[in-house]
Amino acid sequence: MRFSLFVHMERWDEQVTHRQLFENLTELTLMAEAGGFSTVWIGEHHAMEYTISPSPMPLLANLAARTSTIRLGAGTIIAPFWHPLRVAGECALLDVISNGRMEVGLARGAYQIEFDRMADGLAASDGGKHLRELVPAVRELWQGDYAHDGEIWQFPTSTSVPKPVQQPTPPMWIAARDPASHDFAVANGCNVMVTPLMKGDEEVVALKEKFDTAVTNHPEVERPDLMVLRHTHVHSTDDPEGWRPAAAGISRFYRTFDAWFGNKTTPVNGFLEPSPESKFEGRPEFELESLHRTAMIGTPDEVIERLREYEDLGIDEFSFWIDNSLTHEEKRASLELFIKEVVPAFA
């Protein structure tokens, strides 16, 4: 099982500049590369200070120039916000810049608050049809001349310029949860990325079962890879209470996610206050003790033990999701400990 880093610039107040956050993200990526991580993943979000990435492409292009081995993952491009020609061309250009290190993840999108601003109020739940039309169109554009007459997009004969270095295509990933999305991904030869969010490892097992069912249903397709994305924080054995700040930080992150996802309040200059803890009374998944069990939080030995179970389950890639509302110094210390004491157990 290989490891990757999923990272954004996180801004929780105006005391830290965007430039400093950019430098922090670069430092974490360079650490991950030196530590043997396979890929760095950066997603797409709009007008949100707590996950800053209006496009993963310029960040990844900069990282391409700063790195030499780590792969560069756009994870994920939100299908309804893009045109197939832009996806094909920009991803191919990143593949050229990085000399064949580009990976592209695609998703239907989740936040209605973004759809209200980026897609004329399209229901976020309807983004799947954009995804299903986008994936094959991009593949065709990478191969050569192609005209498209679909439900969402129509354009005359065109092609991707430039063409990607990786042939026939760079690896493509689909963010999947329900059985239909797993089936679509596998049927189209795409790798699958899943996140159990605040659920326990039983959810990882359930998601793997959906993936396995899709693989069984498509014997004509070579088995793709499966990646699990999970909030991760490693603390020293000398600090038995080290899990508490991490669990509190991840709780804050998820309560902020809830505020944005709920789409009930107008943001102020890109900020929304986390939903209050009182809202989640009777919701044990938000309690710190629960997050200690569900997020990948623990000492190196505790994390190794859980990751062994993921490896035995057949997970191909574990993505260290470092967004958690903690300080850069806390994130760096956690990643250092993971690289020093966890990664060698899987060498």
Side-chain angles (χ1 to χ4, degrees), residues 40-42 56-65 71-75 94 97 102-103:
V40 57
W41 293 96
I42 300 174
M57 298 307 182
L59 285 168
L60 293 170
N62 174 73
L63 294 173
R71 297 184 64 79
L72 305 160
L94 179 59
I97 291 170
M102 200 277 167
E103 309 226 351

Side-chain angles (χ1 to χ4, degrees), residues 92-109:
L93 180 58
L94 179 59
D95 206 45
V96 170
I97 291 170
S98 65
N99 195 25
R101 289 188 282 144
M102 200 277 167
E103 309 226 351
V104 54
L106 300 136
R108 71 179 192 180

Side-chain angles (χ1 to χ4, degrees), residues 21-32:
L21 294 173
F22 168 73
E23 297 289 354
N24 293 346
L25 183 148
T26 302
E27 180 183 15
L28 294 173
T29 300
L30 294 175
M31 287 174 59

Side-chain angles (χ1 to χ4, degrees), residues 232-250 288 291-292 296-300 302 324 326 330 333-334 337:
T232 303
H233 185 86
V234 186
H235 64 88
S236 170
T237 54
D238 297 333
D239 182 15
E241 294 295 298
W243 65 270
R244 286 190 178 275
I250 293 169
L288 299 193
L291 288 168
H292 185 199
M296 189 63 68
I297 302 173
T299 65
E302 290 169 341
N324 55 20
L326 298 181
E330 290 170 307
S334 168
L337 203 53

Side-chain angles (χ1 to χ4, degrees), residues 141-161:
L141 289 164
W142 279 337
Q143 296 308 301
D145 281 339
Y146 170 69
H148 186 78
D149 185 17
E151 178 185 355
I152 310 299
W153 298 285
Q154 302 83 36
F155 53 86
T157 300
S158 308
T159 191
S160 172
V161 178

Side-chain angles (χ1 to χ4, degrees), residues 140-205:
E140 293 288 348
L141 289 164
W142 279 337
Q143 296 308 301
D145 281 339
Y146 170 69
H148 186 78
D149 185 17
E151 178 185 355
I152 310 299
W153 298 285
Q154 302 83 36
F155 53 86
T157 300
S158 308
T159 191
S160 172
V161 178
K163 297 293 189 297
V165 171
Q166 298 175 91
Q167 290 295 324
T169 76
M172 300 183 79
W173 297 74
I174 300 294
R177 176 163 296 277
D178 61 87
S181 54
H182 280 267
D183 192 80
F184 171 81
V186 173
N188 283 272
C190 296
N191 299 321
V192 175
M193 55 174 69
V194 299
T195 175
L197 296 174
M198 291 172 289
K199 297 183 179 180
D201 288 342
E202 70 280 358
E203 178 71 1
V204 177
V205 173

